[in-house]
Amino acid sequence: MKIITQAIVLNAILLGGCSPSPKDTLLYIGTYTDTGSEGIYCYQFNKESGEMTPKFITPHNENPSFLTISPDQKYLYAVSEVTESPDFASGSVSAYQVLDSGELEKINQQATGGLHPCHVTVSPDGQFVVASNYSSGNLSCFERQVDGGLKEMMQLIQHAGTGADSVRQSAPHAHSALFTSKGLLISADLGTDQLDFYHYDERGKEFQPAEQASLEMNPGAGPRHFAFSPDEQFIYVANELDATISVLKKEGAKYELLESVSSVPADFSGVNYGADVHLSPNGRFVYCSNRGHNSIAVFERLDDGRIRLLQTESVRGDWPRNFTLSPDGRFLLVANQKSNNITVFWVDQKTGLLTYTGNQLELMAPVCLQFLER
């Protein structure tokens, strides 16, 4: 088993050599810093072996639990998943420039006006950055400056409602948001069991409810993260509370719930919470992480967009939160929050099935993985 420790990270930093060569693949890792992590980590990723080589650490001591990279790959945005950042009476989002070396240079930081931002996304044209505030159940919308920094918050969209679970769904909990290629903003709210849809109104200079304002999920599902099929005719939603993947199909201008499929084997009787979901680059397979069962579920996409469970592969760790596929789709990496490790799997390009490579990385409380290839 090949293991890289934080001590090696620090030694590598002292030895220098941070400039990646052309066409390098970098892996940025978001963490929870209340357990000893130092912020945002960067590793060189070997596209042949799946091994990771330490590059540098960007100090960020306010729980940079989710990261996203702008479509032009020039900027990285990181949430501070806290109730109050040092300079703000709320959580915040930081903007970083990605230098030629791959290192991150902070541009600025803005308050989200909400509590515990846990997700951030960028519009396809790079104009807007939107953070999801879990505890306060709202979305923080920002316009991006010319230098990649964030202007002060332009709009706070407050969700309302409750769900079937009186403990976990007594209030709205915005958990993630993504833009479609045409600029439609979709938000998953774990607390209200629905997806909400917004479009940008040029006249009012703000986001407004779209023609389809919302879509009701199954009661008590707890939608958390979602991913689009390549043609955006389908949305695959990872539901945290009932541990299912819901398939949404576009009918005309609106999405409809097609089916929901369990992400664990039928004979599993333990407690499990769904977390993250991604499609393979070719769109043929759907993957999701199971916290409790501690596995990655592999689904085949059928011709009609429905899914069939093929495999549940152990993550070789505890509490797999976020995971990602390498840009070429040959590897799948899992951030195991409670066991403090990142594990690497081969992806069979024909079957979609996973095989553990034996590679893993020891790191305190890893929770978000983002690749940058250039």
Side-chain angles (χ1 to χ4, degrees):
M1 182 179 294
K2 303 169 185 176
I3 300 176
I4 302 174
T5 67
Q6 288 194 51
I8 297 177
V9 176
L10 298 176
N11 287 338
I13 293 170
L14 293 174
L15 291 172
C18 290
S19 298
S21 58
K23 298 183 180 180
D24 272 351
T25 301
L26 299 179
L27 176 68
Y28 293 91
I29 305 168
T31 64
Y32 279 120
T33 52
D34 52 9
T35 60
S37 167
E38 297 180 52
I40 302 170
Y41 293 75
C42 181
Y43 285 77
Q44 185 81 39
F45 184 75
N46 187 311
K47 294 184 289 184
E48 298 303 319
S49 68
E51 295 179 303
M52 294 164 282
T53 304
K55 301 299 293 185
F56 56 82
I57 301 170
T58 301
H60 186 128
N61 61 2
E62 303 166 43
N63 290 339
S65 65
F66 198 89
L67 320 172
T68 195
I69 296 171
S70 62
D72 60 12
Q73 300 187 320
K74 294 181 179 180
Y75 309 102
L76 181 146
Y77 300 92
V79 300
S80 289
E81 191 179 339
V82 293
T83 54
E84 292 186 3
S85 292
D87 296 327
F88 309 111
S90 73
S92 61
V93 178
S94 295
Y96 293 92
Q97 182 181 0
V98 182
L99 304 180
D100 291 341
S101 65
E103 295 182 80
L104 302 178
E105 183 177 275
K106 189 172 181 178
I107 304 170
N108 70 348
Q109 186 172 3
Q110 295 286 7
T112 64
L115 308 178
H116 297 113
C118 60
H119 187 274
V120 61
T121 191
V122 184
S123 60
D125 60 4
Q127 182 179 359
F128 301 108
V129 175
V130 176
S132 300
N133 300 296
Y134 178 82
S135 293
S136 51
N138 44 29
L139 302 178
S140 309
C141 306
F142 303 87
E143 282 193 280
R144 197 175 79 174
Q145 299 173 167
V146 175
D147 65 357
L150 299 174
K151 298 180 181 179
E152 290 188 4
M153 184 174 59
M154 56 175 277
Q155 183 181 5
L156 186 67
I157 302 174
Q158 181 63 53
H159 291 176
T162 59
D165 187 324
S166 61
V167 176
R168 293 293 309 278
Q169 298 181 306
S170 61
H173 294 301
H175 211 301
S176 64
L178 293 174
F179 286 91
T180 67
S181 61
K182 295 183 179 180
L184 182 71
L185 175 63
I186 306 176
S187 169
D189 195 300
L190 184 148
T192 63
D193 279 332
Q194 65 184 35
L195 266 62
D196 297 291
F197 300 78
Y198 305 93
H199 71 92
Y200 183 68
D201 178 21
E202 286 286 354
R203 290 186 177 183
K205 301 298 181 183
E206 65 178 5
F207 288 94
Q208 297 281 358
E211 179 181 350
Q212 179 181 16
S214 63
L215 187 151
E216 296 293 330
M217 306 297 287
N218 292 329
R224 177 184 173 97
H225 283 268
F226 59 95
F228 301 108
S229 63
D231 60 6
E232 297 183 352
Q233 294 302 301
F234 296 90
I235 300 176
Y236 296 86
V237 184
N239 298 302
E240 176 172 334
L241 301 183
D242 69 1
T244 63
I245 296 293
S246 291
V247 181
L248 312 182
K249 182 180 181 180
K250 195 170 187 181
E251 298 287 357
K254 298 182 178 181
Y255 286 97
E256 297 179 357
L257 179 60
L258 185 62
E259 68 170 351
S260 293
V261 180
S262 174
S263 60
V264 293
D267 60 357
F268 177 70
S269 59
V271 177
N272 184 64
Y273 298 100
D276 198 10
V277 59
H278 295 282
L279 271 68
S280 59
N282 60 18
R284 293 178 53 202
F285 305 101
V286 178
Y287 301 88
C288 78
S289 50
N290 289 310
R291 295 174 298 170
H293 190 255
N294 288 338
S295 65
I296 297 294
V298 182
F299 296 89
E300 176 188 16
R301 286 188 69 219
L302 306 178
D303 292 341
D304 62 358
R306 295 174 184 267
I307 56 176
R308 180 172 66 92
L309 183 62
L310 299 177
Q311 177 190 30
T312 50
E313 174 70 14
S314 168
V315 295
R316 275 71 172 182
D318 187 12
W319 218 247
R321 189 178 171 102
N322 181 242
F323 69 95
T324 191
L325 288 136
S326 60
D328 59 10
R330 296 177 61 236
F331 294 93
L332 185 145
L333 285 71
V334 186
N336 298 305
Q337 180 182 349
K338 292 184 178 180
S339 54
N340 303 315
N341 67 331
I342 295 169
T343 46
V344 184
F345 299 82
W346 292 105
V347 181
D348 188 302
Q349 299 298 286
K350 293 183 179 180
T351 66
L353 300 180
L354 304 178
T355 303
Y356 182 47
T357 64
N359 293 334
Q360 68 167 281
L361 169 69
E362 290 183 352
L363 190 67
M364 293 300 295
V367 287
C368 183
L369 307 173
Q370 290 285 333
F371 274 112
L372 175 63
E373 185 174 55
R374 60 182 184 180

